[in-house]
């Protein structure tokens, strides 16, 4: 049985990037893949700001990653990169925290202009953590979400499709897919659609 760690990197309680992560979690569950969820508020701010390497909360994340096959992280674009709070968490991970694992980044930005943040900001940090496979990430801007009369945002159909495809690529790259059931040819198709593999 595969396990994937989900790390939500937005400080916002009404987070659009976390909505993408929630959808990814549903897709993984649909394939029988276990998930472990972490968000910024799981980590005491003092542990992050003072870079406490012995933080129990960080140790829980490290242990979960160690027992997992992959990581999906979500983050807003902040100042053309990812959230600084997420960086303080990632900085406390060991250098090889993602060794042998597949990784996927889900990013939301106010405009489509910072689409490339997925490649120039997220991909290097996932590489630095030695991820085996970094599958092509997903970037959604404001216009990819539908807002209802109460002001609640949900991902639109097009972004949901791109997200599902990306999670499929991640599943295809899990080192230990276990008893994940894929129809004939589906796995190969997903591998061939993977955009980045290191
Ligand atoms: C401090 C801050 C910096 C931001 N910088 C950018 C930016 O450089 N480019 C951009 O497209 N959007 C930027 N945004 C907009 C957010 O990326 C966007 O609203 C995103 O969907 C928020 O995701 P979240 O709801 O998961 O926090 C910024 C927002 C904040 C609060």
């Amino acid at each position: 049985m595969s396990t994937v760690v989900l790390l939500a990197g937005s400080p916002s309680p009404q987070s659009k990037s976390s909505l993408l992560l929630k959808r990814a979690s549903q897709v993984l569950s649909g394939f029988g893949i276990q998930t472990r969820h972490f968000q910024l508020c799981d980590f005491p701010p003092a542990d992050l700001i003072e870079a406490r390497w012995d933080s129990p909360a960080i140790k829980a994340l490290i242990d979960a990653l160690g027992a997992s096959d992959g990581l999906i992280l979500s983050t807003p674009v902040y100042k053309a990169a990812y959230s600084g709070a997420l960086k303080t968490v990632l900085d406390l991970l060991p250098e090889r925290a993602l060794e042998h694992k597949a990784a996927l980044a889900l990013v939301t930005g106010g405009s489509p202009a910072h689409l490339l943040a997925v490649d120039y900001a997220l991909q290097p940090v996932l590489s630095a953590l030695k991820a085996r496979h970094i599958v092509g990430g997903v970037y959604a801007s404001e216009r990819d979400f539908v807002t209802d009369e109460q002001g609640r945002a949900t991902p639109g159909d097009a972004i949901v499709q791109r997200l599902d495809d990306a999670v499929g690529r991640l599943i295809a790259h899990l080192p230990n897919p276990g008893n994940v059931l894929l129809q004939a040819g589906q796995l190969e198709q997903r591998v061939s659609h993977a955009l980045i593999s290191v």
Side-chain angles (χ1 to χ4, degrees):
M1 170 75 72
S2 289
T3 303
V4 172
V5 170
L6 306 178
L7 175 60
S10 173
S12 168
Q14 311 287 333
S15 164
K16 289 194 170 83
S17 54
S18 297
L19 290 177
L20 301 186
L21 196 62
K22 187 176 170 194
R23 170 75 193 185
S25 173
Q26 291 166 344
V27 175
L28 291 169
S29 297
F31 279 99
I33 294 169
Q34 290 184 333
T35 52
R36 289 285 313 274
H37 298 242
F38 292 86
Q39 52 189 332
L40 293 178
C41 60
D42 292 330
F43 307 100
D47 289 7
L48 303 180
I49 297 301
E50 296 171 17
R52 291 183 187 158
W53 302 94
D54 58 351
S55 162
I58 290 292
K59 184 174 183 314
L61 174 61
I62 292 170
D63 289 348
L65 282 170
S68 78
D69 303 291
L71 168 71
I72 303 180
L73 59 75
S74 63
T75 177
V77 174
Y78 276 4
K79 303 290 189 285
Y82 52 95
S83 82
L86 175 62
K87 180 79 163 109
T88 62
V89 173
L90 297 178
D91 285 350
L92 291 177
L93 297 179
E95 189 192 340
R96 311 190 83 82
L98 297 183
E99 193 170 28
H100 309 306
K101 302 179 197 314
L104 168 64
L106 310 177
V107 184
T108 58
S111 84
H114 281 136
L115 162 74
L116 290 177
V118 177
D119 295 329
Y120 67 66
L122 271 308
Q123 191 192 331
V125 75
L126 294 171
S127 291
L129 291 166
K130 305 290 185 283
R132 175 182 288 176
H133 298 291
I134 304 171
V135 300
V138 175
Y139 183 91
S141 66
E142 293 294 326
R143 66 186 184 200
D144 290 310
F145 289 84
V146 179
T147 306
D148 69 14
E149 288 167 359
Q150 283 78 42
R152 282 188 300 252
T154 49
D157 291 345
I159 196 70
V160 166
Q161 185 60 59
R162 276 164 41 208
L163 185 56
D164 290 1
D165 289 348
V167 177
R169 291 195 296 272
L170 180 91
I171 292 170
H173 281 95
L174 290 178
N176 174 30
N179 60 358
V180 170
L181 296 175
L182 294 173
Q183 290 171 1
Q186 218 176 348
L187 187 66
E188 291 76 9
Q189 192 184 7
R190 286 176 179 175
V191 171
S192 71
H193 279 86
L195 298 184
I196 304 166
S197 180
V198 295

